[in-house]
Structures are given as structure tokens and as C-alpha cells.
């Protein structure tokens, strides 16, 4: 299996956004370093999720970038995406692993060391860890854990840790110093005036 990309771009499908334009722009800069996680609103239909994922996968494939699907693993399988990401309201990690099979990329959300260890034991290939900083993209999250919270999880597991929540290029160095393998972003790229430039700044921060 190819190594996991370090920049995870999570689609923003809220009204007025153009997720495919943002993915296109990010791919021109990040190429195979990019993982695109297709995340749709809970109110979206499976057909909408399927159609968007097909389009995202078609964009990713020529670049060798990875396409994952948030929550809806049946959509990932139906489209032929590399895998998916699950959290506390989704299939349990062990069940998700059974759905994806032994080779699928499976991300799991973990906010502390013990759940992180359990997720890895159940079959997670990487962990999404946060929220690292405050974010307005998702409501109902616990307080930010900061780089120290990321470090606690990194020290507990042996899979890549992807830091999420309020991540900007300026915040990447501290997260990397805490042991994060990569970062996941919505707003830092999708809300940027120039998504390609924002992607370049994140990649530079992740690879320098
Ligand atoms: C890389 C990454 N980390 C965490 C999450 C959050 O997943 P989850 O807790 O299931 O919340 P939703 O995204 O489903 O609202 C993620 N998607 N990606
Ligand atoms: C979808 C999501 N999950 C999070 C978690 O901590 O589990 S934070 C988050 C939103 C991340 O968006 P932004 O990069 O705009 O802050
Ligand atoms: Mg989820």
C-alpha cells in the first residue's frame, strides 16, 4: 500500500461552496501528497455522496492522490475509493474494518490515548486527532486539545496521526513538533481566497 499523504483536504459541501473547484486547485499543487476526504452534509442523500465521490476520485486518480469517504463506507466501496474515515457516531472501527477489508485505508477519530489504542487494535490505519484548535467548521466538538493533546496520542500509537481542527499553515510546525504525521483541513483551503496558494503553504509547512 502506498504511504499515506500528509495533507488531508476534507470537502466543504455547505451551500455556496464549490468542493470540486477546491479539490482541482489543491491537486495541481499537492499531487500524491494529497488525501481528499469526501465529507457531505448529514442531510445529503447517498446518491449525492456517490456522485461527488465519483467526481473526486476521477480528479485524484491522474495525480496518484488518495480519495477517502467520511462516514459512508458503502459509498467508498461502490465508487472504488481507497477507504474511509469513521468517528464516534459511525460504524465501530472493527466493523468498519470488516466492511473495507484488510487493505482498505481506515481512519478513525480519537481524541485521547486510550481510545486511540483501542481504535488501532480494532484496525485503524491512521487516526484523526483533535480538535487541535477552535474551529467554526463543525459544532458540538469538545475543547481543543492543542499540540500537547496530539503528542499524548502520538506517544500511545504506532500509526500516522493526522491533526485536525483549526489547522492553518502557521500552526503546522507546532503540530509536527508534537509528532503529527500530517494534518486535515477544511477551512484553511476551502475558505481561502486562493486555494492553490493555501495548499502550497500547507505542503511547504508539512515537508520543510
Ligand atoms: C482526519 C479526520 N479526523 C477526524 C474527523 C472527524 O470524524 P468524525 O468524528 O466522524 O466526525 P464527522 O467528520 O463525521 O462529522 C474526520 N472527518 N477526519
Ligand atoms: C470535521 C471535523 N472534525 C473535527 C474533529 O476534531 O473531530 S474538527 C473538524 C472540522 C475541521 O475543519 P477546519 O479545518 O475548518 O477547522
Ligand atoms: Mg463521522
Amino acid at each position: 500500500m502506498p504511504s499515506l499523504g500528509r495533507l488531508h483536504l476534507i470537502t466543504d459541501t455547505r451551500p455556496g461552496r464549490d468542493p470540486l473547484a477546491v479539490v482541482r486547485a489543491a491537486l495541481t499543487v499537492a499531487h500524491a501528497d494529497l488525501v481528499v476526504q469526501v465529507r457531505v452534509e448529514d442531510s445529503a442523500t447517498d446518491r449525492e455522496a456517490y456522485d461527488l465521490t465519483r467526481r473526486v476520485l476521477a480528479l485524484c486518480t491522474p495525480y496518484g492522490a488518495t480519495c477517502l469517504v467520511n462516514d459512508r463506507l458503502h459509498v467508498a466501496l461502490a465508487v472504488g475509493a481507497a477507504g474511509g474515515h469513521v468517528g464516534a457516531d459511525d460504524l465501530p472501527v472493527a466493523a468498519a474494518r470488516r466492511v473495507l477489508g484488510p487493505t482498505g485505508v481506515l481512519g478513525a477519530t480519537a481524541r485521547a490515548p486510550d481510545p486511540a489504542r483501542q481504535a488501532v487494535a480494532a484496525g485503524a490505519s491512521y487516526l484523526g486527532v483533535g480538535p487541535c484548535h477552535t474551529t467554526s467548521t463543525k459544532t458540538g466538538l469538545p475543547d481543543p486539545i492543542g499540540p500537547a493533546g496530539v503528542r499524548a496520542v502520538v506517544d500511545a500509537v504506532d500509526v500516522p496521526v493526522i491533526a485536525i481542527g483549526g489547522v492553518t499553515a502557521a500552526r503546522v510546525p507546532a503540530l509536527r513538533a508534537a509528532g503529527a504525521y500530517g494534518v486535515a483541513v477544511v477551512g484553511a483551503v476551502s475558505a481561502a481566497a486562493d486555494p492553490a496558494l493555501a495548499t502550497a503553504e500547507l505542503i511547504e509547512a508539512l515537508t520543510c
Side-chain angles (χ1 to χ4, degrees):
M1 194 187 305
S3 66
L4 186 69
R6 290 181 190 270
L7 178 58
H8 293 221
L9 171 61
I10 301 179
T11 58
D12 189 346
T13 59
R14 289 172 292 182
R17 318 297 161 115
D18 188 348
L20 289 173
V22 170
V23 167
R24 257 186 229 106
L27 282 167
T28 61
V29 174
H31 301 180
D33 286 339
L34 195 68
V35 175
V36 182
Q37 183 192 126
V38 178
R39 179 174 183 267
V40 297
E41 301 296 290
D42 288 344
S43 59
T45 64
D46 276 351
R47 181 67 66 90
E48 288 166 335
Y50 176 79
D51 287 344
L52 178 61
T53 307
R54 278 186 61 199
R55 288 179 167 85
V56 167
L57 181 61
L59 293 174
C60 286
T61 300
Y63 289 96
T66 300
C67 177
L68 304 179
V69 179
N70 186 50
D71 298 348
R72 306 190 196 202
L73 303 184
H74 56 299
V75 171
L77 290 177
V79 172
H85 186 100
V86 294
D89 293 336
D90 309 314
L91 282 179
V93 177
R97 173 52 71 202
R98 285 195 292 277
V99 170
L100 291 179
T103 60
V105 178
L106 176 57
T109 303
R111 311 192 189 284
D114 279 347
R117 287 188 201 94
Q118 289 161 16
V120 173
S125 349
Y126 75 88
L127 298 178
V129 176
C132 299
H133 300 280
T134 54
T135 176
S136 58
T137 301
K138 179 173 172 171
T139 56
L141 288 167
D143 288 343
I145 61 173
V150 172
R151 164 61 69 191
V153 173
V154 166
D155 287 345
V157 297
D158 57 2
V159 300
V161 164
I162 304 299
I164 186 170
V167 175
T168 61
R171 287 170 166 163
V172 167
L175 295 169
R176 286 186 71 203
Y181 172 85
V183 298
V185 300
V186 180
V189 171
S190 295
D194 184 340
L197 177 61
T199 301
E201 291 169 351
L202 285 159
I203 291 290
E204 166 72 14
L206 283 165
T207 54
C208 67

